[in-house]
C-alpha cells in the first residue's frame, strides 16, 4: 500500500463551479462526450445519475461486503459447532450437541460484524484514505457548491482548450488550479 504521507506531484487542472445539480449533470455528460477520462465531480449531496454521466463504473465494495458477511456467518457457525460439540461438549437436558436453531443469532451477528468492518476497510482502500497530501480545491466545495474538476493528464492536455471547452458548459465560476 502506498504511503499516505508521501509527497505527491503538484495538482493542476481546471475547476468549474455550477449553481445547481441539473447544470452539473449536463456539464458532466458533455465532459464525458468530449473525452476527459479523469474528470471528477463534487457535490454537497448525492446527485442521481452523476456516476453514469461521468462514466464511473460500479464499485467492487458490495462484493467485499457479501463475501465477508457470508464468511463471518460461516466462521460464527463453525466456531459454535466446534465449541459445543468437540472442544467442550456438555449435554444439557438431552439437547443435541449441534443445535442449529440456537446458533442463528450468533451466526447472524458474526456475519454483520465481519461484513460491516470489512466494508469500512474496503471503502478506505478504494478511496485512497487517509490522504493528507491532496490540497483543498475550494473551501465551500461540498458545503453548497457543485463542481467538476478536470485534472491535467498526459502530454496532450491543453489548459487553454480545456478552459474554452468548460466555458461552453455554462459554469458560474471557472478557475485554473495549481497546487
Amino acid at each position: 500500500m502506498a504511503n499516505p504521507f508521501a509527497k505527491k506531484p503538484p495538482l493542476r487542472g481546471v475547476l468549474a463551479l455550477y449553481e445547481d445539480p441539473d447544470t452539473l449533470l449536463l456539464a458532466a455528460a458533455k465532459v464525458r462526450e468530449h473525452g476527459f477520462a479523469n474528470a471528477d465531480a463534487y457535490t454537497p449531496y448525492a446527485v442521481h445519475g452523476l456516476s453514469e454521466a461521468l462514466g464511473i463504473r460500479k464499485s467492487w465494495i458490495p462484493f467485499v461486503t457479501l463475501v465477508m458477511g457470508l464468511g463471518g456467518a460461516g466462521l460464527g457457525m463453525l466456531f459454535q459447532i466446534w465449541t459445543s460439540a468437540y472442544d467442550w461438549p456438555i449435554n444439557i437436558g438431552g439437547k443435541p450437541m449441534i443445535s442449529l436453531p440456537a446458533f442463528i443469532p450468533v451466526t447472524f451477528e458474526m456475519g454483520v460484524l465481519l461484513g460491516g468492518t470489512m466494508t469500512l476497510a474496503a471503502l478506505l482502500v478504494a478511496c485512497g484514505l487517509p490522504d493528507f497530501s491532496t490540497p483543498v480545491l475550494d473551501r465551500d466545495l461540498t458545503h453548497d457548491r457543485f463542481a467538476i474538476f478536470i485534472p491535467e493528464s498526459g502530454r496532450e492536455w491543453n489548459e487553454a482548450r480545456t478552459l474554452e471547452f468548460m466555458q461552453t458548459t455554462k459554469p458560474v465560476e471557472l478557475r485554473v488550479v495549481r497546487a
Side-chain angles (χ1 to χ4, degrees):
M1 190 163 133
N3 181 2
F5 301 104
K7 186 79 171 159
K8 289 186 179 179
L11 183 67
R12 293 181 49 184
V14 174
L15 181 68
L17 300 168
Y18 300 93
E19 277 188 3
D20 56 72
D22 297 327
T23 312
L24 177 76
L25 278 172
L26 293 173
K30 283 184 180 180
V31 165
R32 182 178 178 203
E33 288 171 11
H34 201 270
F36 292 107
N38 296 331
D40 203 0
Y42 299 94
T43 62
Y45 52 84
V47 176
H48 181 70
L50 186 58
S51 297
E52 292 82 13
L54 283 173
I56 298 173
R57 57 192 164 107
K58 295 252 182 213
S59 174
W60 50 271
I61 295 174
F63 297 112
V64 171
T65 304
L66 176 67
V67 169
M68 297 315 274
L70 291 175
L75 283 174
M77 181 67 78
L78 185 66
F79 178 73
Q80 291 176 93
I81 289 171
W82 177 71
T83 55
S84 66
Y86 299 106
D87 185 43
W88 196 265
I90 299 176
N91 190 351
I92 299 173
K95 290 194 272 185
M97 294 293 186
I98 300 174
S99 177
L100 295 181
F103 296 165
I104 295 299
V106 173
T107 301
F108 172 76
E109 291 301 328
M110 283 295 295
V112 170
L113 175 69
L114 202 60
T117 55
M118 291 300 110
T119 299
L120 175 64
L123 179 66
L124 292 174
V125 168
C127 294
L129 295 175
D131 181 13
F132 300 109
S133 61
T134 302
V136 176
L137 298 174
D138 185 301
R139 288 217 174 278
D140 293 329
L141 196 56
T142 56
H143 176 64
D144 63 353
R145 293 186 175 185
F146 301 88
I148 293 179
F149 179 68
I150 301 176
E152 176 183 24
S153 58
R155 283 181 263 171
E156 71 279 349
W157 193 79
N158 185 331
E159 186 177 296
R161 281 196 312 224
T162 305
L163 281 168
E164 183 180 323
F165 167 73
M166 290 306 288
Q167 196 63 44
T168 65
T169 64
K170 298 180 180 66
V172 174
E173 186 180 339
L174 190 62
R175 63 175 93 138
V176 176
V177 175
R178 290 184 185 96

